[in-house]
Amino acid sequence: MRSVIATLAASAVVAAAGVASAEPCDAASVVGTWSLVSVQADEPGVQAFYERAPYEWMRFKADGSVHYVASTRDRANRAEIEATLDRTDAQDGVDYVIQWLDTGIMLMLRDGQPFQLGQCQIAEADDGPVRAGDLIYTNVEGMPSLRRIQRRLAD
């Protein structure tokens, strides 16, 4: 697996996130729970999936683990979102972990295998649909285009 990761890291030429003012993410800046604001994807089926299940939450933990859930319905509050993430994580049997190949370059592993490689930035100012503090994730060049905007849930 190390050779796969090294190959991915060597080819991690990433597309610009398209935000005027943003800083690369790191492990500390993503910790927390985030709500999907928007997703734009060229990969077949992704747009259709999010049209059917437009609500998504991701939780990044300090240990690098990631939990996420997509849903057809919104949740009433933060406690319900966290409980849904906990329940889904306990039931799905899939482990997601982030490895930081460089500041702003995250490799997501799914059950220990490379799953997604992309650029992660935190917006410093409002810019169109992006708000200061939003996480912007884009796939690396050569992969189907993907741009996700996530907003941190308030404590």
Side-chain angles (χ1 to χ4, degrees):
M1 183 170 82
R2 289 192 192 283
S3 64
V4 171
I5 293 171
T7 301
L8 289 172
S11 64
V13 179
V14 292
V19 175
S21 180
E23 287 292 319
C25 298
D26 59 25
S29 66
V30 300
V31 169
T33 303
W34 302 77
S35 177
L36 182 68
V37 173
S38 69
V39 62
Q40 297 169 324
D42 287 343
E43 187 173 354
V46 173
Q47 287 297 142
F49 173 82
Y50 284 104
E51 287 170 11
R52 289 188 310 275
Y55 303 100
E56 181 186 82
W57 302 275
M58 295 183 81
R59 179 173 52 206
F60 294 88
K61 292 187 170 183
D63 67 1
S65 63
V66 179
H67 306 117
Y68 83 96
V69 65
S71 179
T72 57
R73 71 174 183 87
D74 201 357
R75 299 299 190 266
N77 56 51
R78 172 84 182 252
E80 188 179 354
I81 292 167
E82 297 292 349
T84 300
L85 284 161
D86 291 340
R87 189 172 46 258
T88 303
D89 181 49
Q91 294 172 352
D92 72 5
V94 178
D95 290 319
Y96 293 96
V97 175
I98 299 296
Q99 287 188 356
W100 293 92
L101 304 182
D102 199 351
T103 303
I105 306 296
M106 61 169 34
L107 171 64
M108 184 181 291
L109 303 175
R110 180 179 177 173
D111 290 334
Q113 299 300 310
F115 178 63
Q116 284 186 325
L117 176 65
Q119 178 183 32
C120 173
Q121 296 182 314
I122 302 292
E124 294 183 311
D126 294 356
D127 186 0
V130 175
R131 299 289 169 254
D134 284 357
L135 183 154
I136 303 111
Y137 176 90
T138 54
N139 267 351
V140 296
E141 280 186 27
M143 299 294 292
S145 176
L146 173 67
R147 183 174 193 258
R148 303 173 61 87
I149 300 171
Q150 304 272 149
R151 189 158 294 144
R152 189 185 305 269
L153 295 181
D155 289 327

